Amino acid sequence: MRLIIDTDARTVTEQTANGPHDHPLDSPEAFRLITEHWLTVGWTQKYTYGFTWLGRPIIQLPEDMIRIQEIIHRVQPDVILETGVAHGGSLVYYASLCKATDRGRVIGVDIEIRPHNRTAIEAHPLTGYITLVEGSSTAPETVDRVRSLIRPGERVLVLLDSNHTKAHVRAELDLYAGFVSPGSYIVATDGIMSLVAGRPGSKPGWEWDNPSEAAREFATANPHFSLEEPGFLFNEGKITQHVTHWPSAYLRRVA
């Protein structure tokens, strides 16, 4: 697809196999088209690598952070479990929400927690809300360790942000979905991989080898989970789609 932005005529022209389609520049359709390209270019330029949360790097798109905050506020989890620790920014972000709402704690799982990151997380003022588990997220002993940290009856929300191959995410979905409370979610992050396939920094096969495909496959095989994009809790604007790195990510436990 070719996109032509004419700021003088204030139009966006979408060139497709079926011919050109013109949209007013100041329209939801133009916003959607421009945003799709902004997301992919931003990904290649590592736009999300320029933010911190309370001192720790947080490699997330800001809108995704706000949206997951809306989910956390609505679900009110006792435990927020995340696979993939990296610099610990996401863990600190969730911990800050727990402190602000006076509810919940965070478990972070990673196959390798680098010493400098562990030191920084354990020295952070919010470390009391965070438990680190080092080990492969799909290893039985890691899953058992996580299980031992969750008390009976606690409400759990799970985010998968470690190895993003379809096979690994599908294995994580199978292993961790059982922790998710009815009405809560398991979130397969970074499905943007399918949208940036073939761009600089991508890998062959990302068209199908990505978390979104794993989430769709899991939803088809598990009727107790519904693949649902969270709606807008407040929206006085004209935009009705999310600007996200997490397409087809949110699996809600419905039973």
Side-chain angles (χ1 to χ4, degrees):
M1 183 186 73
R2 184 182 180 193
L3 201 66
I4 301 172
I5 302 174
D6 189 331
T7 57
D8 291 329
R10 301 203 63 77
T11 60
V12 172
T13 301
E14 180 185 11
Q15 299 278 6
T16 70
N18 297 320
H21 298 276
D22 293 330
H23 305 283
L25 182 58
D26 300 297
S27 68
E29 293 81 8
F31 179 85
R32 176 183 60 80
L33 292 167
I34 293 169
T35 296
E36 287 175 359
H37 287 274
W38 178 83
L39 280 170
T40 57
V41 172
W43 185 88
T44 65
Q45 301 306 304
K46 294 190 172 183
Y47 168 68
T48 57
Y49 285 68
F51 302 97
T52 64
W53 187 265
L54 298 181
R56 297 306 301 154
I58 182 167
I59 305 169
Q60 301 291 355
L61 195 68
E63 179 160 332
D64 287 326
M65 293 174 61
I66 296 296
R67 298 298 177 198
I68 193 63
Q69 170 272 147
E70 292 179 337
I71 292 290
I72 290 169
H73 178 70
R74 178 154 56 87
V75 172
Q76 296 286 301
D78 300 296
V79 177
I80 301 170
L81 166 62
E82 182 177 50
T83 63
V85 168
H87 300 279
S90 292
L91 299 182
V92 171
Y93 175 60
Y94 301 135
S96 71
L97 296 177
C98 293
K99 182 175 176 62
T101 58
D102 196 26
R103 178 171 187 148
R105 64 189 190 281
V106 184
I107 300 172
V109 178
D110 204 303
I111 193 169
E112 179 189 10
I113 303 172
R114 295 179 179 178
H116 64 282
N117 289 327
R118 178 185 286 276
T119 298
I121 295 167
E122 292 179 345
H124 197 277
L126 293 172
T127 190
Y129 289 87
I130 300 170
T131 300
L132 297 174
V133 176
E134 188 165 18
S136 169
S137 60
T138 57
E141 60 271 19
T142 303
V143 178
D144 288 343
R145 171 62 177 150
V146 170
R147 184 178 293 107
S148 73
L149 295 170
I150 299 172
R151 305 181 190 105
E154 287 192 311
R155 190 173 302 150
V156 180
L157 182 146
V158 178
L159 298 107
L160 308 177
D161 195 13
S162 59
N163 182 332
H164 294 303
T165 65
K166 178 184 175 183
H168 186 84
V169 175
R170 178 58 200 273
E172 286 185 320
L173 287 166
D174 290 334
L175 289 167
Y176 290 94
F179 293 113
V180 178
S181 308
S184 187
Y185 293 81
I186 185 166
V187 186
T189 70
D190 281 343
I192 192 176
M193 289 165 56
S194 65
L195 303 177
V196 299
R199 305 293 291 270
S202 68
K203 294 182 180 180
W206 276 14
E207 298 89 347
W208 60 269
D209 191 12
N210 62 72
S212 294
E213 287 298 316
R216 283 190 281 265
E217 184 178 276
F218 178 85
T220 299
N222 292 271
H224 296 311
F225 284 84
S226 174
L227 191 59
E228 298 180 8
E229 188 77 13
F232 285 74
L233 300 182
F234 172 80
N235 188 10
E236 291 185 351
K238 299 178 180 178
I239 305 305
T240 57
Q241 77 278 357
H242 295 153
V243 179
T244 181
H245 279 193
W246 301 356
S248 300
Y250 290 87
L251 288 151
R252 184 171 69 89
R253 185 170 180 179
V254 296

